[in-house]
Amino acid sequence: MKLFLNKASPYARLVMVVIHEKQLIDRVELNWTDPWASTPALLAVNPVAKVPALMTDGGESIVDSACICAYLDDVGSGRRLHAAAGDVGSLSKYGLGRGLIDAAFGVTIERRFAAAQSEPVLAKRWLDAVQRTIAELEKTPALRRATDQPDIGDLALAVALGYVGFRLQEVDWQRKAPATATWFSRIDARPSMRLTRPE
Ligand SMILES: N[C@@H](CCC(=O)N[C@@H](CS)C(=O)NCC(=O)O)C(=O)O
């Protein structure tokens, strides 16, 4: 398999975490790619010009981190990470984790590209979403139940929170959400998280 990714992308990081959790690292060739450069190699796999994008051994491309994670869960080994039918709790966490990644990434991109001097409207909106989501995590213990067997929802939330700490330091989320920070630090100590720190 070939994975197109970059080092800062939280979407690509979630895919890498799943690759490690499913013991697939030796089966994946990593293609470090700047999606904004829209290279022909990336466009050949993903016309949307985004990372992550996966080319399977059979030559089929799978784009979007959620779809790639679902595929890797099927072809990897070990414990299943995606929710069993009817596991609403896992889907709740997964959706919230993905939403938090979207919001934090949206703020980062809006800030990078907006021409205006003042705080851009979209960045303000998405920053509010980041803060609301972290407050929700903090007041909902069921979303951060201690576990040494994290599922895809736990991993997505942890990656999202790692990205907020990496790109939106002014949010200072660990001080505002101490219970969530304690939960996060346990998951963040896993090899899959340590091996995929954003830079
Ligand atoms: N929904 C996609 C989002 C992927 C995404 O937005 N990736 C960013 C990098 S973090 C990207 O490639 N952006 C380039 C662009 O938006 O044109 C996923 O889950 O994989």
Side-chain angles (χ1 to χ4, degrees):
M1 292 178 264
K2 278 187 199 164
L3 179 69
F4 292 77
L5 73 169
N6 73 3
K7 293 235 159 136
S9 168
Y11 304 99
R13 186 184 181 196
L14 179 58
V15 167
M16 284 300 290
V17 167
V18 170
I19 283 171
H20 285 289
E21 293 280 349
K22 299 292 290 191
Q23 288 132 53
L24 285 167
I25 192 66
D26 294 335
R27 289 176 51 191
V28 182
E29 177 189 316
L30 302 179
N31 284 259
W32 300 101
T33 303
D34 174 7
W36 304 100
S38 299
T39 60
L42 176 62
L43 293 181
V45 179
N46 185 4
V48 183
K50 291 190 183 194
V51 296
L54 186 81
M55 175 77 78
T56 69
D57 290 338
E60 288 160 313
S61 61
I62 303 177
V63 304
D64 195 282
S65 54
C67 302
I68 296 170
C69 288
Y71 174 75
L72 296 172
D73 207 3
D74 283 344
V75 299
S77 53
R79 190 169 49 83
R80 188 150 181 86
L81 298 174
H82 282 73
D87 187 347
V88 175
S90 178
L91 289 175
S92 297
K93 289 180 290 180
Y94 192 22
L96 213 50
R98 295 191 61 83
L100 185 50
I101 290 175
D102 287 343
F105 177 68
V107 174
T108 303
I109 289 308
E110 176 71 8
R111 283 180 176 168
R112 185 182 302 166
F113 289 105
Q117 292 292 314
S118 58
E119 179 81 345
V121 172
L122 283 176
K124 164 80 174 67
R125 177 179 160 77
W126 290 330
L127 194 52
D128 287 347
V130 167
Q131 279 159 337
R132 276 196 309 269
T133 305
I134 290 170
E136 182 69 21
L137 275 178
E138 186 67 4
K139 71 173 194 209
T140 314
L143 288 171
R144 45 180 170 74
R145 206 166 280 135
T147 172
D148 56 5
Q149 295 203 326
D151 67 12
I152 188 76
D154 298 305
L155 297 172
L157 284 174
V159 167
L161 291 166
Y163 187 69
V164 173
F166 172 57
R167 283 296 194 208
L168 306 175
Q169 284 165 18
E170 78 275 19
V171 170
D172 198 10
W173 76 265
Q174 284 166 312
R175 195 178 55 79
K176 289 181 194 148
T180 305
T182 301
W183 171 87
F184 171 78
S185 63
R186 274 195 295 267
I187 296 203
D188 196 46
R190 297 180 70 78
S192 63
M193 294 291 286
R194 280 194 281 105
L195 287 165
T196 61
R197 298 249 188 268
E199 36 179 90

